[in-house]
Amino acid sequence: NAPANMEQPLLRQPVCQPVGSRRGTDRPSDDDDGQAADPKANLKRKCVDYHTPSVLHLNRRTFHPSNRPILSKMDAPAIHPHSAYIRYMGLPIEDAAGSSTCIYSTGFGAAPGPSEVYTTQVCHVTRAKNSSPVMCLGWTPGGRRLLTGNQDGEFTLWDGTHFTFELILSAHDSSFRSMTWSHNNNYLLTGDGAGNIKYWSPSIAPVSSVDAHGGNPVHALSFAPSDTKFASAGDDSAVRIWDFERRAEERVLEGHGWDVKTVAWHPRSSVVASGSKDNLTKLWDPREGSCLCTLYGHKNTVTKVAWNDNGNWLLTASRDQVIKLYDIRAMKELTSLRGHHKEVTALAWHPLHESAFASGGMDGTLLFWEIGPKGSEEPAARVPFAHDMAIWDMKWHPAGHLLATGSNDRQTKFWARSRPGSAGGADRDMPAAEDDDDDDDDRANETVTDEMELGNHVGIVIGRRGATIISMQRATGTKMHVDQVRRVLEIEGTKKQIETVKRRVGALLDRVSNDSEQRQREAAIGAGGVGNSSGFGS
């Protein structure tokens, strides 16, 4: 008997959509006095609810155990490309092992597809007041909230389901540089640009702090498997091993010739990997402080290293736009992944699928990769305009259904799997063929891609630090990317938007060409005048 305009609890919704669901979308009702209800009660707010998919997973695990074969098609209903099947979507964990418990588009324990693993659809964009670039982020234990650290040294806490702002807290006197949780989720470590490392409790209460690396920025932190030690990397060209309980430095791993940008402790062994500005990736023995191996695969600064949970694969990213995968059992390179057009700045393995990971670039591109026997050296999914500027950090939700990215454009974005019936990363259902007018509207609003030749004017279109292309994207509502290898401008949007972009870019290139021709004529006239005067004088 609750009023019609009262917001019902999330778990009482008839359909809890795992991706792109909405709250408060009921029609407004009138009170007894004939006045309309509060319009704020009807605001659409996206949420990603993983409680119902979790209940579905428990149900399927009970009635479809891995040792029981699926007997009929009715035991494994297929998911069709329609929004009515959203309620049947489960968690990515059901396909992590390719078991017979998965009930997806194929329904018979097949390998997961891109729409089930890769989070290509942006479900929310957050930006705090007086915001600054987001340097690092991390999910709280359990994945209920997202914690971000910005360039002003402030914590920002966001709700992980409805993406609402919860808290902002001053944590460091200088810019955040790194953040990591212990494996038992009892402590949080953060590092800043002044060489200060702080301990935090799960309630984000300060516990202790220690000065490290001689006041140089602490770019990365990583816990040992036992949580009794941790490693730090800084601009003093060293990797330092610390005793967590005593807050004391134990060893200094020296061998890099320049700033150390990243460090990662092996998930189960006493091996530490580090990457530096000297283009080298080194493996260390933290007990003896010796270098075990040096990898010479990159031609520029190594920005990120990441261990796979299987403990056999090491992923490295660099400013040479290449991602390399190493097998440490044989100490050899397995593959080189070339899909970025700018420096690779962020890496994150999927928490459940050991062969899937995401990467972010300096130009804001977000790529998803699938490696292994059935993998490919090409990205499995691409979001070319995920952010306007560099992606500094990214973290998967523990359940694997959400990806959070923090960028230099001061935004934190949440990415989710595409809903059944939506095309790629677009937040829309399949077009319904009701009448000719609706078909015309759908065709007019359909998102298409096109290219435009730039020739030798690639830098003009990009602008200083990408200012020209970013402003043009915001003005036209399109997504644009410059392929500097082929010298073309890739445009994504409606036909009308693409025509507007081509007209503006064409006018810009014509103006640049006219100015260049005018300068050439003036230079030729000046050279001719000098020659005539010298000849007349002789």
Side-chain angles (χ1 to χ4, degrees):
N1 297 325
N5 60 349
M6 179 178 292
E7 181 176 322
Q8 298 296 328
L10 180 62
L11 295 180
R12 292 189 180 182
Q13 292 182 351
V15 176
C16 291
Q17 301 177 357
V19 178
S21 62
R22 290 169 170 80
R23 304 177 61 199
T25 56
D26 295 336
R27 296 180 60 186
S29 59
D30 295 336
D31 298 331
D32 296 337
D33 297 336
Q35 297 178 356
D38 185 4
K40 292 185 179 180
N42 301 287
L43 293 176
K44 292 182 180 180
R45 172 169 289 169
K46 291 185 178 182
C47 70
V48 176
D49 172 31
Y50 60 92
H51 298 89
T52 297
S54 301
V55 173
L56 291 176
H57 168 65
L58 295 176
N59 183 32
R60 294 166 186 169
R61 189 177 65 178
T62 302
F63 295 101
H64 298 283
S66 58
N67 58 355
R68 174 187 171 187
I70 297 177
L71 301 179
S72 64
K73 292 183 178 180
M74 296 301 296
D75 292 332
I79 289 184
H80 297 279
H82 192 274
S83 58
Y85 289 85
I86 294 177
R87 63 183 183 271
Y88 295 118
M89 289 185 67
L91 293 175
I93 191 174
E94 300 186 49
D95 271 352
S99 65
S100 60
T101 60
C102 75
I103 303 180
Y104 280 102
S105 57
T106 55
F108 291 96
S115 62
E116 302 160 12
V117 177
Y118 309 121
T119 55
T120 58
Q121 177 171 319
V122 59
C123 53
H124 196 76
V125 180
T126 61
R127 184 170 181 174
K129 293 182 179 179
N130 302 323
S131 60
S132 61
V134 180
M135 307 303 296
C136 56
L137 50 82
W139 292 93
T140 59
R144 291 183 177 272
R145 294 173 179 85
L146 181 74
L147 193 64
T148 65
N150 61 21
Q151 201 172 48
D152 294 335
E154 296 174 337
F155 272 133
T156 307
L157 198 63
W158 306 92
D159 186 272
T161 302
H162 304 101
F163 316 119
T164 55
F165 169 80
E166 291 194 358
L167 175 70
I168 189 167
L169 173 69
S170 179
H172 285 273
D173 295 332
S174 60
S175 171
F176 267 94
R177 291 301 175 94
S178 55
M179 177 190 306
T180 185
W181 284 92
S182 61
H183 295 91
N184 57 17
N185 295 325
N186 289 336
Y187 287 95
L188 171 70
L189 282 181
T190 59
D192 64 9
N196 185 251
I197 300 175
K198 285 192 175 183
Y199 292 50
W200 304 84
S201 67
S203 59
I204 318 301
V207 177
S208 179
S209 66
V210 59
D211 293 328
H213 295 274
N216 292 292
V218 181
H219 290 293
L221 296 166
S222 181
F223 271 98
S226 61
D227 289 335
T228 58
K229 317 284 183 184
F230 69 90
S232 63
D235 278 353
D236 58 350
S237 306
V239 177
R240 300 178 184 268
I241 307 299
W242 301 80
D243 185 276
F244 179 79
E245 187 70 22
R246 296 187 296 112
R247 304 174 182 85
E249 180 182 307
E250 288 192 344
R251 283 180 178 82
V252 179
L253 309 181
E254 296 180 336
H256 282 292
W258 216 339
D259 305 344
V260 184
K261 297 298 184 182
T262 178
V263 67
W265 204 302
H266 192 279
R268 284 179 293 278
S269 301
S270 294
V271 179
V272 175
S274 63
S276 171
K277 201 173 179 180
D278 60 4
N279 310 345
L280 302 180
T281 302
K282 288 181 176 291
L283 302 182
W284 306 87
D285 184 352
R287 297 169 297 186
E288 298 182 357
S290 59
C291 179
L292 300 176
C293 180
T294 302
L295 305 176
Y296 299 88
H298 290 288
K299 300 179 180 180
N300 209 325
T301 302
V302 180
T303 55
K304 292 291 180 181
V305 294
W307 291 100
N308 192 288
D309 191 56
N310 60 23
N312 300 325
W313 293 346
L314 176 65
L315 206 61
T316 63
S318 171
R319 296 188 65 181
D320 60 5
Q321 309 173 14
V322 179
I323 301 172
K324 290 184 179 290
L325 179 68
Y326 294 93
D327 189 338
I328 65 166
R329 294 170 296 182
M331 287 298 178
K332 69 175 183 179
E333 178 185 327
L334 293 182
T335 183
S336 294
L337 307 174
R338 305 175 186 274
H340 285 277
H341 303 291
K342 288 289 186 179
E343 297 93 329
V344 186
T345 55
L347 286 176
W349 285 101
H350 195 276
L352 304 174
H353 300 269
E354 71 171 17
S355 61
F357 71 92
S359 63
M362 183 67 74
D363 56 354
T365 301
L366 178 62
L367 302 183
F368 297 90
W369 303 84
E370 173 72 20
I371 58 177
K374 297 181 180 180
S376 172
E377 295 185 358
E378 295 293 329
R382 179 189 294 269
V383 185
F385 312 100
H387 284 275
D388 292 337
M389 303 180 76
I391 299 176
W392 292 129
D393 199 8
M394 59 174 61
K395 290 292 189 303
W396 290 92
H397 189 278
H401 70 295
L402 273 179
L403 176 69
T405 57
S407 171
N408 199 49
D409 63 3
R410 307 183 179 187
Q411 293 180 344
T412 303
K413 292 189 178 183
F414 296 86
W415 303 85
R417 298 174 294 170
S418 297
R419 297 183 298 170
S422 64
D427 187 11
R428 65 178 188 276
D429 291 331
M430 299 297 289
E434 296 182 357
D435 51 40
D436 295 340
D437 295 338
D438 292 341
D439 292 341
D440 294 340
D441 294 340
D442 291 338
R443 283 192 292 268
N445 296 326
E446 181 181 1
T447 301
V448 296
T449 59
D450 201 352
E451 295 182 351
M452 181 178 181
E453 295 287 342
L454 297 180
N456 297 325
H457 302 297
V458 173
I460 299 298
V461 176
I462 296 177
R464 181 178 177 84
R465 296 184 179 180
T468 302
I469 191 171
I470 290 174
S471 62
M472 197 171 297
Q473 286 183 88
R474 292 174 177 173
T476 59
T478 58
K479 297 179 179 180
M480 303 164 60
H481 172 72
V482 176
D483 189 338
Q484 300 187 31
V485 178
R486 298 188 296 128
R487 297 184 178 182
V488 298
L489 176 65
E490 299 175 357
I491 314 169
E492 180 181 348
T494 63
K495 292 184 178 180
K496 186 176 181 180
Q497 291 174 335
I498 292 177
E499 291 176 358
T500 303
V501 170
K502 287 186 174 181
R503 185 169 61 252
R504 292 191 176 190
V505 174
L508 175 63
L509 298 182
D510 291 342
R511 184 167 65 253
V512 172
S513 300
N514 294 335
D515 294 343
S516 178
E517 293 176 358
Q518 180 66 23
R519 287 194 297 270
Q520 290 179 0
R521 286 196 295 268
E522 293 176 354
I525 294 174
V530 171
N532 293 334
S533 61
S534 61
F536 179 79
S538 60

